């Protein structure tokens, strides 16, 4: 785990080790701890690894990531559904 001091100063090896140990105990998945100072207070920020996620949508009453497991009837229902736009109101003829 990286220990990064934001003040740009050199810090003692035992201080670096203490921050690393604390970060590993409190945030075991962190890849880095960034340390800044506010007066005498140390402000710690942790960098976590990126976690991939799957987009979930509600389609025809089902929460799905993809439609690849839909049967023919469900595919037809999805194809025939009315798709509404986001935040657009219909134009009015005046």
């Amino acid at each position: 785990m990286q220990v990064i001091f934001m003040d740009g100063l050199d810090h003692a090896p035992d201080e670096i080790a203490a921050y690393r140990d604390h970060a590993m105990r409190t945030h075991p998945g962190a890849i880095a701890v960034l340390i800044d100072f506010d007066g005498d207070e140390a402000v710690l920020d942790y960098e976590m690894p990126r976690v991939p996620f799957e987009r979930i949508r509600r389609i025809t009453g089902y929460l799905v990531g993809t439609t690849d497991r839909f049967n023919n009837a469900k595919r037809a229902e999805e194809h025939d559904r009315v798709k509404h736009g986001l935040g657009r109101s219909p134009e009015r003829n005046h």
Side-chain angles (χ1 to χ4, degrees):
M1 171 185 302
Q2 278 188 299
V3 177
I4 302 168
F5 287 92
M6 304 305 286
D7 61 4
L9 302 175
D10 289 328
H11 292 267
D14 58 336
E15 183 181 12
I16 295 169
Y19 281 116
R20 180 180 289 117
D21 291 345
H22 173 77
M24 290 174 71
R25 266 193 328 276
T26 59
H27 294 79
I31 57 176
V33 58
L34 293 88
I35 305 161
D36 204 355
F37 295 95
D38 184 13
D40 290 339
E41 301 261 336
V43 179
L44 307 180
D45 191 19
Y46 301 93
E47 183 179 337
M48 304 301 284
R50 292 185 180 264
V51 177
F53 66 94
E54 180 182 352
R55 179 178 173 207
I56 301 293
R57 300 173 292 166
R58 183 171 182 224
I59 300 176
T60 66
Y62 295 91
L63 294 174
V64 298
T66 64
T67 58
D68 60 340
R69 296 185 64 198
F70 278 8
N71 63 22
N72 290 341
K74 189 52 71 179
R75 286 181 199 274
E77 184 180 343
E78 193 275 332
H79 180 266
D80 294 341
R81 73 187 174 114
V82 176
K83 297 176 176 116
H84 302 282
L86 296 176
R88 291 188 175 184
S89 59
E91 293 182 13
R92 297 180 185 174
N93 294 329
H94 290 274

